Amino acid sequence: MIAAVPPAALPAEAGGSKAQGKGQGSGSSRGKTGTLWWLVLPALFFFVVFAVVPLVGVFVLSFANWDGIGAISLAGIGNWLSVLGDPVMHNALRLTFFIMIVSWLVQTPLSLLLGVFTAGSQKYRALLAVLYFLPLLLSSAAIAIAFKALLDPNFGLAEGLNLPVLAQDWLGHPQLVLLVVIFVIAWQFVPFHTLIYQGGVRQIPKSLYEAAEIDGAGKIKQFFHITLPQLKYTIITSSTLMVVGSLTYFDLIFVLTAGGPGNSTRILALDMYLTGFRANLMGPASVLAVILVLIGLALALALQRLGGKGSSGSQLEGM
């Protein structure tokens, strides 16, 4: 004979089993977390050794005098006062932000349109996407050497194609040289951002475009009312890489113009190099390095704040 189980005992036992299952689940998840936490140690080690330690060292060196060879002596805030009051640094800072803003204004529309175009399913668009990617395979130094040769007024494109209109002193005129630098930067990095936008467009649900077509929306309306809102976080990510990356255009400008003519292209990164390794003033050069890091962090944080909840949110929130 089977004994009857009191009904009141059922919820308690069921609750007990649920609680027991919950306890086992949470314990299992804690066990997995405790087992996997050590996987981050290699990345953390490299980050500390190659990022945190050098930054701390540069910050300490910004308060010292050192020529790179002799003994290090303390300088207090003298280096900071001399750098912050240096007109060359002010000009370098102005040029850095000028190139940053104009490069963003040039690269973003081109990258966005090319990304939307190459996201199509046609085979020829896939081929064009591969061709657009080719400049990324070249180093900045090689690109600078190539453009320096092509823009030579005596032996470059002007002479080879017999086009006198190209026979300009492109790298010797203070205004023209800035346009050349921005053009070369865009030529090199537009393909990279095109790939970012191409991937973003391909993540947009096709049902949105199908619904828009049913409502009678054309391609232009679909672009402004569907594609652009959906690419909100993609635009923020691309802009962050573009803006912060513009602080490191040292190699290209150094090979192309060496900061000239005069100080027309002496941006902050190049000013840091020339101060440290040409003038052997490691203290002021460290001050410029710290300023570069602070500007980069501030710009990155400001751009990420534009995303509201952050770039990890759903792309559908762009609607």
Side-chain angles (χ1 to χ4, degrees):
M1 183 176 181
I2 302 174
V5 180
L10 291 175
E13 291 181 2
S17 61
K18 288 182 180 180
Q20 184 179 2
K22 184 177 179 181
Q24 290 177 351
S26 60
S28 176
S29 62
R30 284 197 299 266
K32 291 181 179 179
T33 304
T35 304
L36 298 178
W37 70 268
W38 59 269
L39 293 176
V40 304
L41 288 181
L44 182 62
F45 171 78
F46 282 104
F47 177 75
V48 171
V49 172
F50 295 103
V52 177
V53 173
L55 283 176
V56 173
V58 168
F59 180 74
V60 173
L61 193 58
S62 66
F63 296 95
N65 289 325
W66 187 40
D67 59 1
I69 300 176
I72 300 177
S73 61
L74 293 177
I77 61 173
N79 289 332
W80 285 86
L81 295 177
S82 63
V83 169
L84 295 178
D86 187 5
V88 176
M89 193 279 290
H90 296 164
N91 180 67
L93 190 61
R94 179 183 62 83
L95 288 174
T96 300
F97 278 102
F98 176 80
I99 292 177
M100 178 192 301
I101 294 172
V102 178
S103 295
W104 183 86
L105 292 175
V106 172
Q107 293 183 63
T108 300
L110 288 175
S111 304
L112 181 58
L113 293 176
L114 288 173
V116 173
F117 176 77
T118 56
S121 57
Q122 295 86 344
K123 292 183 178 179
Y124 76 93
R125 297 194 184 189
L127 176 62
L128 290 176
V130 174
L131 295 178
Y132 292 150
F133 185 77
L134 290 179
L136 285 175
L137 303 179
L138 305 175
S139 68
S140 297
I143 292 174
I145 292 173
F147 273 97
K148 194 172 184 178
L150 292 173
L151 296 175
D152 190 291
N154 299 317
F155 307 101
L157 285 176
E159 182 66 21
L161 300 178
N162 195 21
L163 294 176
V165 68
L166 295 178
Q168 306 288 334
D169 191 11
W170 298 103
L171 301 179
H173 195 280
Q175 278 72 43
L176 288 178
V177 71
L178 282 175
L179 298 179
V180 171
V181 167
I182 293 171
F183 172 80
V184 176
I185 290 172
W187 186 87
Q188 181 181 8
F189 291 105
V190 160
F192 172 73
H193 297 281
T194 296
L195 292 177
I196 294 178
Y197 286 116
Q198 182 189 50
V201 171
R202 288 179 175 175
Q203 296 298 318
I204 300 175
K206 293 183 179 180
S207 58
L208 296 178
Y209 295 103
E210 294 172 354
E213 289 179 358
I214 293 175
D215 292 338
K219 296 296 182 182
I220 296 179
K221 285 188 176 180
Q222 291 179 24
F223 176 78
F224 284 102
H225 294 281
I226 296 178
T227 305
L228 277 183
Q230 292 295 293
L231 293 178
K232 173 184 177 182
Y233 297 123
T234 305
I235 294 173
I236 292 176
T237 300
S238 173
S239 299
T240 302
L241 295 174
M242 200 179 297
V243 168
V244 177
S246 65
L247 299 175
T248 62
Y249 291 150
F250 158 75
D251 46 358
L252 189 146
I253 296 178
F254 179 73
V255 176
L256 189 63
T257 67
N263 291 326
S264 299
T265 56
R266 182 166 173 159
I267 62 172
L268 207 58
L270 184 57
D271 186 31
M272 177 188 67
Y273 171 82
L274 295 176
T275 301
F277 296 97
R278 289 285 180 86
N280 294 325
L281 298 174
M282 297 299 176
S286 298
V287 174
L288 294 172
V290 173
I291 293 175
L292 274 173
V293 172
L294 294 178
I295 293 175
L297 288 175
L299 290 173
L301 291 175
L303 287 171
Q304 291 302 312
R305 289 293 297 272
L306 293 177
K309 294 181 180 180
S311 58
S312 60
S314 173
Q315 208 172 16
L316 291 176
E317 294 178 9
M319 294 293 289

